[in-house]
Amino acid sequence: MAETPSGDHERSTGDSDDLKSKMMGFLDHLEELRVRLLRAFLILVIGTAVCLVFSERLIGFLTRWFEPGRGSLALLYPTEGFVVRLKTALVAGIFLTSPFWFAQVWGFISPGLYRDEKRVVVPVVFTCSGAFLLGAAFGYRILPIAINYFQSLTTPGVEVTWSLGRYICLLYTSPSPRDLSTSRMPSSA
């Protein structure tokens, strides 16, 4: 990172004259943010619509561990099937389109970063993305074990019927540290 005669550090866009010509005002930044958010939203809507076409297959993939005789899935209210399809399509759309909206975020943030900052951010983003994908794969891998465990806790003579909507919500959410520390634990007072 080079210093200008005035002591300021130059950005990665070039020399200081070039930097001044590329500087944007507050309203220009807001406009660019608006355009990028709109693009990201439209990309997500298109990805979700594409995934909606395949939502039945995706739901079949997520529910394939339910063995006949050990439990079943049921729709407990009239709109549950529709809502489950939409949620599944939305989550799949987020996964499918994430590179595109990450590119929008990066396109907005990167011009304001120094070269050294960019060198640090890129490996962190790839490492975090990899860790997220590994965590999702791990969760999917232990899902049959969790289902078998929960089904084994039933009382003899009680038929096990799971709500498809609640099962899908279980897959898409996980307890956060806040949930574990505040809402599920008794207070110490």
Side-chain angles (χ1 to χ4, degrees):
M1 192 161 46
E3 281 198 28
T4 61
S6 65
D8 295 332
H9 293 286
E10 290 183 23
R11 299 278 180 179
S12 59
T13 56
D15 64 359
S16 61
D17 291 335
D18 188 32
L19 177 65
K20 288 178 184 173
S21 68
K22 291 187 177 185
M23 289 186 69
M24 298 169 55
F26 180 72
L27 293 178
D28 295 328
H29 282 291
L30 284 180
E31 177 62 20
E32 182 182 358
L33 180 62
R34 185 188 70 80
V35 168
R36 289 190 179 276
L37 287 175
L38 183 61
R39 282 183 198 156
F41 178 74
L42 290 175
I43 290 167
L44 180 60
V45 167
I46 291 168
T48 300
V50 168
C51 291
L52 191 57
V53 173
F54 301 102
S55 64
E56 187 174 348
R57 287 183 184 172
L58 293 168
I59 292 169
F61 180 70
L62 295 171
T63 60
R64 66 184 180 160
W65 293 289
F66 281 88
E67 302 167 10
R70 294 236 23 226
S72 62
L73 292 168
L75 300 174
L76 301 181
Y77 56 94
T79 59
E80 188 171 14
F82 176 71
V83 171
V84 166
R85 282 188 174 214
L86 281 180
K87 283 182 181 180
T88 301
L90 178 63
V91 170
I94 289 170
F95 273 95
L96 180 70
T97 62
S98 62
F100 300 106
W101 46 268
F102 277 141
Q104 293 300 314
V105 170
W106 181 249
F108 181 74
I109 293 172
S110 68
L113 297 176
Y114 295 112
R115 285 186 190 107
D116 293 344
E117 292 168 333
K118 286 182 183 181
R119 282 187 223 135
V120 171
V121 169
V122 172
V124 167
V125 168
F126 282 112
T127 302
C128 290
S129 298
F132 173 76
L133 292 175
L134 283 174
F138 175 74
Y140 184 75
R141 182 80 174 153
I142 65 165
L143 187 59
I145 298 166
I147 290 171
N148 286 332
Y149 172 73
F150 288 128
Q151 288 176 337
S152 74
L153 297 176
T154 60
T155 304
V158 175
E159 183 180 339
V160 178
T161 303
W162 292 25
S163 163
L164 178 62
R166 296 229 176 175
Y167 171 73
I168 293 295
C169 284
L170 173 71
L171 296 180
Y172 298 154
T173 60
S174 63
S176 69
R178 178 193 51 81
D179 293 336
L180 296 174
S181 66
T182 59
S183 62
R184 304 245 188 321
M185 304 293 272
S187 65
S188 59

